[in-house]
């Protein structure tokens, strides 16, 4: 049995980045051409870990919740982003160094060097004033930034669809828009019934001014988003399944208070005390916390933080972030936003399509409706090409304010100019109508996960250093559910018989659905270290005793007339404790599968 002792861990980001590159988790892309900031390639281990995290997300937020999953294009035409507000308002503040020419996020420069915590919410002139007042300097070369203009910079990558520049398009800055624009069709798949949810896992693109901290802030990243459409008046979540989930919350009120701090409570208590005001947001926070724990986020380094009012995105009425602690800093892993009916209303307004759902009344209702039926032979000559717009204005006005039609003339506002029309030409009437229901624009609650930041957190929280038999060791204590490889299989040394047996065992374990790596290079200690560093939970070693035991077993089976089988013992080593146990070869697939499924503990063997 090996002797092991934990070593105290200092900030690990640098060592993790080095390990990630050396062992194939992630590294900067296009290295042969000098690399380019903000783009990372996931190597074989990273791609497997990321794939496992995505599968776990799909299982929990799509399958287990009964939601639909779609896969939309990453490039969308300009009108989509005009409607969504991204073209107008998806900006960061940029300040350029007068000496070295490097661009920086002005709000980050301010936050890093002053007591301001939420500089993003400050107006541009105020950020310029703070830079001047604090004599802030370029983080790259140290030149003064005072007096430099702070500009707004749109984060979307622009492109052209087809030859020429007649149809501008953009790489989507969030996967969400791919769901919203398809709402008129998706609602049909949901049989026009609320509530329903649509998920998507895919790439999003943001031309970040200063990508930083490896895969935490990149220019191309993966999001896993759920858009949950609800009727704001009638739909309520069943909170019973999450009300006892304990969470660490950092509400806006605590952040604003001088001696404010995080608070521990259950989801049920947070809703009852009005700390989380929206029940759907509370529901998804309750679902997400145990999921984060299951994929390996350390719950002592996890919290939900509410956005301050100036920090919220243009579409959100409330938002909580799931944050993880990384070397003393909190990073945002996901956001749980209430987007109201912002997106669907905007797409309805810009596209003219129907982004509504028909809400059936319990009983048909007879209502009075004010309608117009304008005399087009009057509107046409009077308003020319604007005649149809005038009809729209009259319809709106009739629905909103019937009294406007009480006199002889009615006033409308068209492109900033006021116009008077004779009421008799509008065909205004109030009629009784029997209606079976009404068209409503659903509200949207959105849990939005960044997969790259979660992968980084999982690796960071799993990073361990210890000493085994007097030798320093680094290992990743990854959860079996997400570890890229579940078991490594080795022959003890270079030998045809050992290698053949080890390869057979590896094939059997793969057949049982486990992810397996076979390794016969280098001494056994080095092979263990390699698997420890990539976070493989178990290693199986075939030695000469295994072969001898198999042969003895075969001989006794032959004598009894049973089918000959190789069933010697092999050594199974557990990554975290380095404890070793001897198990029969034939039992390996079942035993290791049971451990992988969480039905059996290694200590119980
Ligand atoms: N649809 C909502 C939305 O996109 P967001 O807070 O801007 O909200 C959601 O992004 C998540 O995407 C974040 O919590 C974060 O994990 C991830 N994310 C955003 N920008 C990122 C970047 N530049 N690099 C890596 N991940 C990013």
């Amino acid at each position: 049995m090996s002797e092991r002792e934990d070593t105290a861990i200092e900030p690990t980001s640098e060592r993790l980045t080095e390990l990630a590159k050396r062992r194939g988790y992630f590294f900067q892309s296009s290295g042969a051409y000098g690399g380019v900031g903000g783009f990372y390639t996931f190597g074989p281990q990273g791609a497997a870990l990321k794939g496992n995290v995505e599968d776990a997300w799909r299982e929990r937020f799509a399958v287990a919740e009964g939601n639909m999953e779609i896969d939309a294009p990453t490039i969308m035409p300009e009108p989509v982003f005009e409607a969504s507000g991204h073209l107008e308002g998806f900006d960061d503040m940029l300040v350029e160094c007068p000496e070295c020419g490097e661009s920086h996020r002005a709000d980050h420069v301010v936050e890093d060097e002053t007591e301001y915590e939420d500089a993003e919410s400050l107006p541009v002139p105020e950020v310029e004033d703070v830079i001047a007042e604090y004599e802030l300097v370029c983080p790259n070369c140290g030149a003064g930034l005072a007096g430099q203009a702070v500009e707004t910079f749109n984060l979307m990558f622009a492109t052209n669809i087809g030859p020429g520049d007649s149809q501008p398009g953009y790489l989507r800055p969030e996967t969400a828009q791919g769901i919203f624009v398809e709402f008129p069709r998706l609602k049909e798949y949901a049989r026009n019934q609320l509530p329903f949810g649509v998920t998507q896992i895919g790439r999003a693109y943001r031309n970040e001014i200063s990508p930083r901290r490896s895969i935490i802030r990149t220019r191309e990243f993966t999001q896993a988003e759920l858009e949950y459409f609800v009727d704001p008046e009638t739909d309520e979540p069943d909170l019973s399944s999450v009300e006892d989930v304990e969470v660490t919350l950092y509400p806006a009120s605590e952040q604003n208070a001088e001696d404010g701090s995080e608070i521990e409570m259950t989801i049920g208590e947070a809703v009852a005390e009005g700390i989380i005001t929206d029940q759907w947001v509370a529901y998804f926070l309750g679902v997400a916390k145990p999921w984060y724990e299951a994929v390996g986020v350390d719950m002592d380094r996890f919290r939900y933080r509410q956005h301050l009012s100036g920090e919220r995105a243009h579409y959100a009425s409330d938002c909580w972030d799931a944050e993880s602690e990384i070397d003393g800093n909190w990073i945002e892993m996901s956001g749980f936003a209430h987007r109201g009916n912002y997106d669907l209303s905007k797409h309805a307004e810009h596209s003219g399509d129907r982004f509504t759902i028909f809400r059936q009344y319990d009983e048909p209702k007879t209502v009075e409706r004010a309608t117009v039926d304008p005399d087009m032979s009057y509107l046409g000559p009077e308003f020319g090409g604007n005649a149809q717009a005038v009809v729209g204005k009259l319809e709106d006005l009739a629905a909103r304010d019937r009294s406007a039609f009480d006199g002889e003339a009615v006033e409308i506002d068209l492109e900033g100019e006021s116009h008077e029309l004779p009421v008799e030409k509008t065909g205004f009437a109030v009629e009784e109508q029997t209606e079976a229901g009404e068209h409503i624009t659903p509200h949207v609650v959105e849990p939005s996960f960044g997969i790259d930041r979660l992968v980084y957190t999982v690796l960071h929280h799993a990073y361990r250093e210890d000493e085994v038999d007097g030798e320093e060791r680094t290992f990743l204590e990854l959860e079996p559910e997400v570890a890229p490889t579940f078991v490594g299989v080795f022959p003890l040394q270079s030998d045809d018989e050992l290698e053949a047996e080890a390869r057979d065992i590896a094939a059997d374990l793969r057949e049982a659905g486990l992810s397996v790596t076979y390794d016969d290079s280098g001494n056994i200690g080095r092979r263990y270290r390699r698997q420890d560093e990539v976070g493989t939970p178990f290693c199986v070693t075939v030695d000469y005793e295994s072969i001898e035991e198999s042969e003895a077993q075969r001989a006794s089976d032959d004598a009894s007339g049973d089918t000959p089988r190789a069933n010697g013992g092999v050594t199974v080593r557990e990554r975290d404790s380095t404890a070793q146990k001897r198990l029969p070869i034939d039992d390996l697939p079942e035993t290791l599968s049971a451990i992988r499924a969480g039905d059996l503990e290694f200590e119980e063997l």
Side-chain angles (χ1 to χ4, degrees):
M1 171 84 186
S2 305
E3 288 286 319
R4 67 173 288 280
E5 213 174 286
D6 287 318
T7 319
I9 297 192
E10 295 299 316
T12 46
S13 290
E14 265 177 40
R15 276 173 289 172
L16 177 61
T17 303
E18 187 277 322
L19 181 146
K21 192 171 174 183
R22 186 160 44 80
R23 290 292 178 212
Y25 268 103
F26 55 81
F27 47 88
Q28 198 178 33
S29 304
S30 306
Y33 293 90
V36 51
F39 293 93
Y40 279 80
T41 294
F42 285 93
Q45 307 297 341
L49 169 61
K50 182 168 174 278
N52 291 343
V53 168
E54 288 171 9
D55 286 348
W57 190 90
R58 175 176 290 112
E59 194 51 47
R60 185 64 193 88
F61 291 91
V63 180
E65 291 291 310
N67 295 323
M68 302 185 257
E69 180 174 359
I70 68 161
D71 186 9
T74 55
I75 293 178
M76 302 174 91
E78 188 167 69
V80 169
F81 299 110
E82 263 166 16
S84 70
H86 285 90
L87 206 55
E88 179 67 23
F90 198 57
D91 300 327
D92 276 343
M93 284 181 264
L94 176 151
V95 62
E96 198 176 292
C97 172
E99 286 297 319
C100 69
E102 183 106 348
S103 297
H104 304 285
R105 278 247 331 234
D107 51 325
H108 285 172
V109 173
V110 167
E111 283 167 11
D112 289 349
E113 299 299 328
T114 72
E115 71 283 1
Y116 285 91
E117 285 178 2
D118 183 22
E120 200 180 357
S121 62
L122 298 177
V124 166
E126 210 172 308
V127 173
E128 287 175 338
D129 289 348
V130 175
I131 290 177
E133 186 190 333
Y134 285 79
E135 298 179 356
L136 299 182
V137 297
C138 169
N140 189 43
C141 73
L145 294 173
Q148 285 298 101
V150 170
E151 282 162 20
T152 52
F153 175 76
N154 192 289
L155 297 186
M156 285 198 295
F157 281 101
T159 185
N160 288 306
I161 302 172
D165 55 9
S166 61
Q167 200 181 359
Y170 295 87
L171 277 75
R172 63 184 181 195
E174 57 171 0
T175 61
Q177 294 307 323
I179 297 176
F180 295 137
V181 296
E182 305 308 345
F183 181 83
R185 194 171 291 276
L186 294 170
K187 72 176 182 185
E188 303 290 331
Y189 303 146
R191 295 175 298 285
N192 289 299
Q193 279 170 8
L194 293 172
F196 70 89
V198 183
T199 67
Q200 182 167 208
I201 301 176
R203 299 284 192 170
Y205 302 83
R206 296 182 190 177
N207 199 2
E208 297 285 353
I209 294 168
S210 41
R212 56 182 184 175
R213 299 172 72 193
S214 79
I215 57 171
I216 291 176
R217 186 177 296 281
T218 56
R219 290 178 165 138
E220 174 172 352
F221 51 95
T222 299
Q223 289 185 322
E225 300 201 294
L226 163 60
E227 307 305 327
Y228 202 73
F229 300 99
V230 302
D231 182 329
E233 277 181 27
T234 59
D235 292 333
E236 277 184 7
D238 174 7
L239 285 181
S240 62
S241 61
V242 297
E243 64 192 359
D244 294 330
V245 173
E246 290 181 1
V247 283
T248 304
L249 299 177
Y250 197 22
S253 54
E254 290 295 316
Q255 294 167 61
N256 288 327
E258 215 157 86
D259 55 351
S261 64
E262 290 141 2
I263 46 184
E264 311 273 342
M265 54 174 52
T266 63
I267 290 285
E269 288 164 347
V271 171
E273 291 179 29
I275 292 172
I276 305 174
T277 48
D278 184 77
Q279 298 214 357
W280 286 106
V281 170
Y283 174 75
F284 288 116
L285 295 177
V287 169
K289 172 175 169 201
W291 181 82
Y292 270 123
E293 188 169 10
V295 295
V297 176
D298 180 351
M299 287 298 118
D300 292 334
R301 301 163 72 187
F302 175 88
R303 71 179 183 188
Y304 286 128
R305 186 183 69 81
Q306 188 178 25
H307 278 204
L308 299 169
S309 56
E311 189 187 352
R312 283 197 293 264
H314 58 275
Y315 48 71
S317 57
D318 192 15
C319 187
W320 288 79
D321 284 346
E323 295 187 329
S324 64
E325 183 272 324
I326 299 289
D327 289 345
N329 298 308
W330 287 99
I331 65 158
E332 173 199 331
M333 293 190 293
S334 56
F336 297 76
H338 201 293
R339 296 179 76 129
N341 62 9
Y342 176 87
D343 301 273
L344 297 187
S345 307
K346 289 286 172 192
H347 285 303
E349 194 183 311
H350 285 249
S351 70
D353 209 336
R354 273 223 155 147
F355 285 73
T356 52
I357 285 255
F358 188 69
R359 181 201 282 155
Q360 188 109 21
Y361 297 138
D362 293 339
E363 304 252 314
K365 282 186 194 168
T366 303
V367 289
E368 273 192 347
R369 286 259 175 260
T371 57
V372 289
D373 183 13
D375 179 352
M376 295 311 280
S377 65
Y378 169 79
L379 289 196
E382 277 297 308
F383 292 98
N386 282 333
Q388 211 47 52
V390 172
V391 175
K393 292 278 175 187
L394 289 170
E395 282 171 351
D396 280 356
L397 191 58
R400 217 169 359 96
D401 179 16
R402 306 177 183 178
S403 64
F405 295 81
D406 282 350
E408 304 242 313
V410 58
E411 193 178 322
I412 56 158
D413 182 72
L414 192 64
E415 293 174 349
E417 261 186 52
S418 170
H419 297 266
E420 280 205 348
L421 290 86
V423 168
E424 60 176 5
K425 302 287 182 193
T426 65
F428 176 79
V430 176
E431 292 165 1
E432 279 204 341
Q433 291 175 0
T434 302
E435 292 176 354
E438 63 185 322
H439 292 275
I440 61 143
T441 305
H443 282 207
V444 179
V445 182
E446 178 195 63
S448 168
F449 290 64
I451 295 293
D452 308 66
R453 289 185 188 179
L454 174 54
V455 164
Y456 190 85
T457 297
V458 165
L459 288 170
H460 199 282
H461 288 190
Y463 187 95
R464 306 273 182 278
E465 288 175 0
D466 64 359
E467 260 189 26
V468 177
D469 297 335
E471 240 188 75
E472 282 180 9
R473 167 177 89 131
T474 300
F475 68 106
L476 296 178
E477 201 175 324
L478 294 174
E479 289 296 327
E481 188 181 359
V482 296
T485 306
F486 182 67
V487 54
V489 181
F490 319 143
L492 181 66
Q493 58 195 59
S494 187
D495 175 289
D496 287 350
E497 221 174 347
L498 294 184
E499 286 173 18
E501 186 67 69
R503 282 185 195 282
D504 280 353
I505 291 173
D508 286 349
L509 293 175
R510 284 194 189 108
E511 210 172 301
L514 299 173
S515 70
V516 181
T517 189
Y518 169 86
D519 187 0
D520 59 13
S521 68
N523 72 42
I524 195 75
R526 193 170 298 162
R527 280 181 269 164
Y528 281 144
R529 296 291 178 274
R530 241 188 328 254
Q531 293 310 314
D532 287 343
E533 279 200 338
V534 297
T536 305
F538 295 99
C539 289
V540 168
T541 304
V542 180
D543 53 30
Y544 288 108
E545 254 177 78
S546 319
I547 305 289
E548 279 160 24
E549 285 167 13
S550 288
E551 277 165 5
Q553 180 77 49
R554 270 192 208 104
S556 88
D557 286 347
D558 279 346
S560 67
D562 288 345
T563 319
R565 47 194 264 265
N567 204 15
V570 284
T571 302
V572 181
R573 172 188 179 269
E574 203 230 357
R575 173 196 63 202
D576 307 339
S577 61
T578 72
Q580 303 190 356
K581 299 205 172 174
R582 202 88 187 148
L583 284 187
I585 292 173
D586 268 9
D587 293 356
L588 283 177
E590 200 183 325
T591 305
L592 290 176
S593 298
I595 294 178
R596 169 77 172 75
D599 298 335
L600 183 68
E601 297 282 329
F602 183 72
E603 296 81 63
E604 294 173 47
L605 296 177

